[in-house]
Amino acid sequence: GQNIDQPTEMTATEGAIVQINCTYQTSGFNGLFWYQQHAGEAPTFLSYNVLDGLEEKGRFSSFLSRSKGYSYLLLKELQMKDSASYLCAALDSNYQLIWGAGTKLIIKP
Amino acid sequence: GAVVSQHPSWVICKSGTSVKIECRSLDFQATTMFWYRQFPKQSLMLMATSNEGSKATYEQGVEKDKFLINHASLTLSTLTVTSAHPEDSSFYICSANIGGDSYEQYFGPGTRLTVT
């Protein structure tokens, strides 16, 4: 079966760094997405990785290892507004997104 | 660019009535649109995938006669919840895909449905 695993909840301190991990098992693989979702709102796109390695975009970076079926989202210089759920989603061989359950990130002052 | 709108933002209806939710891609043509449902504190659950001019593909466990999807044009898809029940109360979100080499989904703002 197809499966995406990510921690349910994480807590971090304002100004710090946090890494949210995601492992995936899919039938075929065509890339991995990270989305941010604030409570009561729709998800917004953060990143898309299809090749191995780290991609940096401002305070957010995303890493992919295809051989390990593993990705992480790295958030630096955390701000209170970063409190949200972070969704990992893998694109399978049919180009369908398989969604993880999301990681709720709580930022404390 | 790549803006998706949904209407209404929220709706309250009585049990047994039907509710239609519209999803529009405002500045691009969406080859594929997706409908999701999300219960509080849970992740997105894909309900169906629709391509313009063809029947929607429903996920296992989603009743196609209850959740009617029409994708009449490249910029509009509608979801009709028929004979709504309180357990249908949820956050319904649509997304759209431009197609080609892009697999990113652009999400609408969501519709919060409450059935009383």
Side-chain angles (χ1 to χ4, degrees):
Chain A
Q2 308 203 94
N3 193 49
I4 307 287
D5 282 320
Q6 52 182 131
T8 304
E9 187 174 296
M10 297 182 71
T11 302
T13 305
E14 188 177 15
I17 299 173
V18 71
Q19 177 175 310
I20 303 174
N21 296 323
C22 170
T23 57
Y24 61 88
Q25 291 177 310
T26 55
S27 54
F29 179 76
N30 284 296
L32 190 124
F33 288 86
W34 283 97
Y35 280 83
Q36 179 191 61
Q37 185 179 26
H38 285 99
E41 299 180 11
T44 56
F45 171 80
L46 290 178
S47 67
Y48 171 61
N49 294 63
V50 65
L51 300 176
D52 285 354
L54 183 70
E55 290 202 10
E56 298 184 65
K57 192 184 295 184
R59 293 189 300 113
F60 292 8
S61 301
S62 56
F63 171 84
L64 176 67
S65 169
R66 295 177 67 128
S67 62
K68 295 182 179 179
Y70 167 69
S71 173
Y72 67 72
L73 181 68
L74 190 71
L75 292 77
K76 303 177 183 177
E77 302 170 17
L78 285 170
Q79 301 175 10
M80 297 303 292
K81 68 178 182 179
D82 297 330
S83 293
S85 286
Y86 291 85
L87 306 175
C88 170
L91 202 60
D92 71 7
S93 58
N94 293 321
Y95 294 94
Q96 180 168 334
L97 275 179
I98 309 301
W99 292 88
T103 298
K104 182 178 180 181
L105 177 63
I106 300 169
I107 309 295
K108 295 185 175 180
Chain B
V3 179
V4 176
S5 70
Q6 264 183 259
H7 178 81
S9 302
W10 58 270
V11 58
I12 301 173
C13 70
K14 294 184 177 181
S15 285
T17 61
S18 295
V19 174
K20 180 185 283 189
I21 302 170
E22 291 187 350
C23 177
R24 294 181 185 272
S25 56
L26 298 184
D27 52 2
F28 67 99
Q29 292 185 326
T31 56
T32 306
M33 286 186 168
F34 305 85
W35 285 97
Y36 293 86
R37 182 168 53 182
Q38 187 175 36
F39 293 106
K41 299 183 180 181
Q42 296 186 24
S43 189
L44 298 172
M45 187 195 83
L46 180 66
M47 299 175 68
T49 302
S50 73
N51 292 291
E52 183 261 342
S54 61
K55 291 184 179 180
T57 301
Y58 289 81
E59 294 299 303
Q60 194 172 8
V62 178
E63 300 174 57
K64 60 182 180 182
D65 294 331
K66 180 172 180 61
F67 299 99
L68 302 178
I69 292 172
N70 185 297
H71 194 158
S73 76
L74 285 172
T75 59
L76 173 65
S77 177
T78 61
L79 167 68
T80 302
V81 182
T82 62
S83 187
H85 290 281
E87 55 264 32
D88 297 326
S89 298
S90 186
F91 191 45
Y92 291 86
I93 311 173
C94 74
S95 69
N97 174 258
I98 290 176
D101 293 334
S102 173
Y103 301 102
E104 180 182 344
Q105 291 184 23
Y106 299 93
F107 285 86
T111 296
R112 188 159 302 283
L113 170 64
T114 302
V115 184
T116 60

